[in-house]
Amino acid sequence: MTRIARLFSFSDTLDLARAVGSRLELDVSPIEVHYFPDGESLVRVECTDPGQAIVFRSLHHPNEKLIEVLFAADSLRRQGATEVGLVAPYLGYMRQDRVFRPGEPISQRVVGQLLGSAFDHVLTIEAHLHRIRELAEVFPCPAESISAATPIAQWLRTQPKTDVVIGPDAESEPWIRAIAQEAEIEWTVATKVRDSDRDVRIDLPPLPAGTNRVWIVDDIASSGATLETLVRALKAFGVQEIGAVIVHALLERDMPSRLAEAGLDRLVSTDGINDPTNVISLAPLLAESIGKRLRTGEDS
Ligand code: R5P
């Protein structure tokens, strides 16, 4: 017997959840949040068919959102959901994966434990994993981070001929290589040193002579310092057309204009975080993975 499955989404991921739902022929119900004057959140979600439930929400600006997804999981279980999963296209707090300076927590583990205690499985895209290889190392439930390399490569293939795809730092190398090889474009990575939240230094690698059109590819743009510094370096080298593809657009409001001023011609992102720069849909990737999870969970 196939169990009933239903998707639930907070308002910020509703469009993406609907795109996934239509691929899987699953209904999507909204999750509402009321904010009390003192800042507390009241979450409301109706679940009329108990079965497998999947909650969508990207966890950027995560503090409020984290508690709200836990409330949603509690409500769904109280209404009879037999399994509750979380799809967080962007999963916050993954960058603090060790104690960098004495006195700090390992935020990644704390958040992993918290979400893993409330959800039966967690799915995300391009979690920022440096010192651990698998999300399963920090979550007490099945947890998976899937790569956005293929949708990015497919999109790059639709663009006018690009000379080079460039990643901002050495850590990005395997990912940039995978994207560039799939898109059949030359690739390279820069060297980056971060001095503070908003200050980075970047050294360009040697670029092929006659490099005129370049796409920067990065998993996150947050302060925008990485992109801005790299764009300025490429301009100084003489690159004429520069675009940037970002998976998670954690963009401050003035960032697109700052980047344009630095010389960036085009900024595009995936739709894991709702933003005007969204161009590349993660729906096919998420639908495939969620579909597999639901099939594995079917009663035979
Ligand atoms: C770093 O490892 C990431 O790939 C990004 O380059 C970084 O998180 C971007 O941050 P920001 O926009 O603040 O420079």
Side-chain angles (χ1 to χ4, degrees):
M1 184 188 80
T2 303
R3 291 179 198 154
I4 294 161
R6 187 179 281 272
L7 309 183
F8 299 86
S9 181
F10 287 83
S11 60
D12 42 4
T13 33
L14 203 48
D15 289 347
L16 179 58
R18 285 190 175 130
V20 171
S22 81
R23 286 176 172 266
L24 294 172
E25 298 182 9
L26 293 177
D27 288 337
V28 182
S29 305
I31 303 174
E32 290 162 16
V33 187
H34 170 77
Y35 294 100
F36 291 107
D38 59 8
E40 288 187 6
S41 311
L42 177 64
V43 166
R44 195 161 173 281
V45 51
E46 270 183 57
C47 175
T48 45
D49 313 309
Q52 291 172 288
I54 294 183
V55 172
F56 273 70
R57 182 166 233 193
S58 259
L59 296 171
H60 53 304
H61 302 296
N63 298 352
E64 215 162 66
K65 293 178 185 175
L66 275 168
I67 190 80
E68 290 168 3
V69 296
L70 302 184
F71 290 159
D74 179 77
S75 167
L76 289 165
R77 288 194 201 280
R78 285 177 190 286
Q79 293 175 77
T82 51
E83 190 178 284
V84 185
L86 173 67
V87 174
Y90 177 71
L91 186 56
Y93 283 122
M94 293 297 108
R95 286 177 278 186
Q96 181 78 19
D97 60 358
R98 72 176 172 94
V99 175
F100 292 95
R101 288 182 307 167
E104 294 175 349
I106 303 181
S107 316
Q108 184 192 63
R109 286 187 181 271
V110 176
V111 169
Q113 288 293 326
L114 190 67
L115 291 174
S117 64
F119 290 93
D120 295 300
H121 49 90
V122 173
L123 177 66
T124 188
I125 306 272
E126 297 290 357
H128 197 86
L129 304 180
H130 271 183
R131 278 153 285 264
I132 64 157
R133 286 188 30 240
E134 309 266 333
L135 263 194
E137 292 174 43
V138 287
F139 277 77
C141 68
E144 193 188 1
S145 170
I146 46 180
S147 173
T150 291
I152 291 174
Q154 285 172 348
W155 185 81
L156 285 171
R157 290 181 82 108
T158 67
Q159 298 306 298
K161 190 182 168 315
T162 303
D163 297 316
V164 176
V165 167
I166 185 166
D169 47 34
E171 288 81 19
S172 66
E173 183 175 325
W175 186 62
I176 295 293
R177 189 192 319 122
I179 292 169
Q181 284 177 348
E182 195 170 340
E184 297 183 274
I185 305 172
E186 294 291 312
W187 66 275
T188 189
V189 294
T191 308
K192 177 168 96 177
V193 177
R194 182 174 288 281
D195 295 320
S196 70
D197 287 348
R198 292 169 192 278
D199 288 296
V200 300
R201 282 173 285 142
I202 287 188
D203 284 327
L204 278 189
L207 295 175
T211 298
N212 277 328
R213 189 178 285 138
V214 172
W215 279 100
I216 299 167
V217 181
D218 203 356
D219 58 348
I220 300 176
S222 177
S223 71
T226 302
L227 277 185
E228 190 174 344
T229 311
L230 187 48
V231 168
R232 288 193 192 280
L234 289 166
K235 273 285 160 201
F237 180 83
V239 176
Q240 283 168 7
E241 269 189 67
I242 307 171
V245 182
I246 302 301
V247 180
H248 301 301
L250 309 174
L251 305 174
E252 289 176 348
R253 195 169 295 170
D254 67 339
M255 200 202 291
S257 57
R258 260 172 41 215
L259 293 171
E261 195 202 314
L264 186 67
D265 297 296
R266 194 159 176 213
L267 177 60
V268 305
S269 63
T270 72
D271 56 357
I273 292 177
N274 200 3
D275 187 81
T277 58
N278 291 167
V279 166
I280 303 171
S281 180
L282 296 173
L285 200 61
L286 288 171
E288 192 187 334
S289 199
I290 294 166
K292 238 183 254 168
R293 154 71 51 190
L294 294 174
R295 283 193 298 278
T296 324
E298 277 175 9
D299 289 337
S300 49

